[in-house]
Amino acid sequence: MSGLSRRCGGVGREDGSAIILTAIAMTALLAFLTFGLDVGNWFLHKRHLQMQADAAALATGQEFSAACGSATQNDQRIIDRAKQYAGFASPSGPSYNPQVAGRQDSVHIAINSSTWYGQSKTDPTVDTRPPCQSAMVDVKLTETDLPFLIKLINGVVPGNVVPAINAHARISVRKLTARSGFLPFAVPQASPSRVRATFINETTGATLGQ
């Protein structure tokens, strides 16, 4: 009986070691899976934030001729258009391109600013005057309070691991100084040698003459 007891006790110790190793392996696997999810989530938010910044900057191009050509030089109209295409509420109309996962409330915008929201990092290349004076729209977007494990790490590790995601886009209006070899095939010749006018009967569609 004593020998049987010793053998049973040995089996019990082996089973306990296997359980401990399995628990350690599962914990490590869970940590790697969580890290993978966080990296993927960060990349998704980063790419969409950049798309928002690009859309906001490009959308303001259509406003320069109308807004800056007026006597009042309506800079606010340009800013409102940028906010509209970056997912923010705007007088210009319904907002477009809100951040994924309903996270638009965590996105902050700075236009023609030398700094990003809540950060000391500076951009020396931006003209901080209003758009019509600087002939520039510089869009800086920041998403704060990142979700999942990154959020937990931010609250535990001193200095924060990923305190924010930034995106940046800019358009500039510049004077055209030369156009030789510049025009694409789709642009008509500005000095035609001949012109043909065709007259159409709009009721019947028949050609009346040329």
Side-chain angles (χ1 to χ4, degrees):
M1 287 295 293
S2 60
L4 179 60
S5 298
R6 285 195 296 271
R7 286 195 297 273
C8 290
V11 172
R13 286 193 294 272
E14 291 174 0
D15 289 345
S17 299
I19 292 174
I20 293 173
L21 289 175
T22 302
I24 294 174
M26 291 298 293
T27 302
L29 178 61
L30 180 61
F32 278 115
L33 288 174
T34 305
F35 179 75
L37 289 173
D38 274 348
V39 171
N41 183 68
W42 177 90
F43 184 80
L44 175 64
H45 282 246
K46 173 69 173 178
R47 293 308 305 158
H48 194 277
L49 193 70
Q50 185 61 56
M51 184 271 287
Q52 289 178 278
D54 293 341
L58 290 172
T60 62
Q62 64 183 321
E63 300 297 336
F64 266 100
S65 61
C68 294
S70 66
T72 57
Q73 294 192 342
N74 192 356
D75 293 295
Q76 190 59 47
R77 177 175 174 177
I78 296 174
I79 294 172
D80 289 341
R81 183 70 70 187
K83 290 182 176 179
Q84 178 189 15
Y85 278 79
F88 295 91
S90 170
S92 297
S95 62
Y96 301 111
N97 314 308
Q99 181 57 293
V100 296
R103 303 271 311 160
Q104 184 62 29
D105 289 343
S106 297
V107 177
H108 309 273
I109 187 171
I111 297 178
N112 286 10
S113 170
S114 60
T115 59
W116 277 261
Y117 172 84
Q119 300 169 62
S120 59
K121 177 183 177 182
T122 59
D123 178 6
T125 66
V126 64
D127 188 335
T128 57
R129 294 178 298 169
C132 286
Q133 296 180 37
S134 63
M136 170 190 295
V137 177
D138 183 277
V139 179
K140 291 180 172 67
L141 291 181
T142 300
E143 182 182 355
T144 58
D145 191 25
L146 302 181
F148 300 119
L149 182 61
I150 289 177
K151 180 177 179 181
L152 298 177
I153 294 175
N154 281 341
V156 174
V157 179
N160 288 345
V161 177
V162 185
I165 297 176
N166 292 326
H168 181 213
R170 176 190 299 173
I171 66 161
S172 297
V173 179
R174 302 188 179 186
K175 183 178 180 180
L176 179 66
T177 57
R179 68 177 188 135
S180 176
F182 174 78
L183 297 178
F185 293 120
V187 176
Q189 172 56 255
S191 302
S193 57
R194 308 184 218 9
V195 173
R196 172 181 292 179
T198 301
F199 298 91
I200 304 294
N201 185 324
E202 295 184 356
T203 302
T204 63
T207 299
L208 301 177
Q210 295 180 338

